[in-house]
Amino acid sequence: MDKTVILEVRDVVKIYPDGQVRALNGVSLQVFAGEFLVIRGPSGCGKSTLMHLLGGLDIPTEGEVLFRGIPLKEASKGKDFRVRNIGFIFQGFYLWQNLDVFDNVMLPLVELEMSREERLARVREAVKAVGLSDKL
């Protein structure tokens, strides 16, 4: 496995504005290229908060999140950053019911400057990676 660190969390603390909820308390971790990561735990332990920080959807109260060694808040300023680098499937994943698997996966790629052939290849690759090729 490639030992390149893609995401790194350093001593992250997240306290929500009302001050009543300390969702994360000094979390540190590294995610390497090609690695699949599972975050699990009981309800209320900070899983969703951590995911929001990893995806740049929220910022930590303390500590930092790095993407390829660059603070995520800086790295994510690019126009296509999220569509090119970070993918999420939320608990309520909100797929378009009128679209099939192929078109749901293709949808975020329409914003990228790439050929139709590249888009088609990316969709097939992504669907294969999660074991859903039979659904195409």
Side-chain angles (χ1 to χ4, degrees), residues 10-51:
R10 293 183 183 163
D11 300 316
V12 164
V13 172
K14 179 63 180 179
I15 302 170
Y16 284 96
D18 65 4
Q20 301 297 312
V21 177
R22 187 178 190 98
L24 299 172
N25 191 23
V27 173
S28 295
L29 65 90
Q30 292 181 323
V31 181
F32 296 93
E35 181 176 42
F36 283 87
L37 178 68
V38 175
I39 299 173
R40 57 174 251 182
S43 179
C45 75
K47 300 179 302 291
S48 294
T49 299
L50 180 59
M51 291 299 296

Side-chain angles (χ1 to χ4, degrees), residues 2 4 7 14 17 21 26 34 39-40 45 56-57 65 71 87 90 101-102 106 111 114 121 129 133 135:
D2 185 352
T4 302
L7 278 170
K14 179 63 180 179
V21 177
I39 299 173
R40 57 174 251 182
C45 75
L57 303 174
V65 179
F90 291 96
V101 170
F102 189 91
M106 174 75 88
E111 294 294 321
M114 63 174 50
S133 295
K135 303 297 183 204

Side-chain angles (χ1 to χ4, degrees), residues 26-136:
V27 173
S28 295
L29 65 90
Q30 292 181 323
V31 181
F32 296 93
E35 181 176 42
F36 283 87
L37 178 68
V38 175
I39 299 173
R40 57 174 251 182
S43 179
C45 75
K47 300 179 302 291
S48 294
T49 299
L50 180 59
M51 291 299 296
H52 286 124
L53 296 176
L54 290 173
L57 303 174
D58 199 357
I59 57 171
T61 306
E62 297 175 22
E64 68 181 339
V65 179
L66 304 169
F67 178 78
R68 297 185 184 269
I70 301 169
L72 186 58
K73 63 184 172 188
E74 291 174 28
S76 63
K77 288 181 182 176
K79 175 183 156 196
D80 298 332
F81 176 78
R82 280 191 184 79
V83 75
R84 289 193 179 278
N85 297 291
I86 296 178
F88 270 99
I89 300 174
F90 291 96
Q91 288 175 343
F93 43 84
Y94 305 111
L95 295 175
W96 292 91
Q97 291 182 359
N98 60 324
L99 298 180
D100 60 19
V101 170
F102 189 91
D103 289 333
N104 266 290
V105 175
M106 174 75 88
L107 193 58
L109 300 178
V110 298
E111 294 294 321
L112 296 176
E113 294 180 21
M114 63 174 50
S115 71
R116 182 175 181 349
E117 292 75 27
E118 288 175 295
R119 280 193 191 96
L120 296 174
R122 290 270 306 265
V123 169
R124 287 188 191 102
E125 181 182 306
V127 171
K128 182 180 179 183
V130 296
L132 292 175
S133 295
D134 62 316
K135 303 297 183 204
L136 291 175

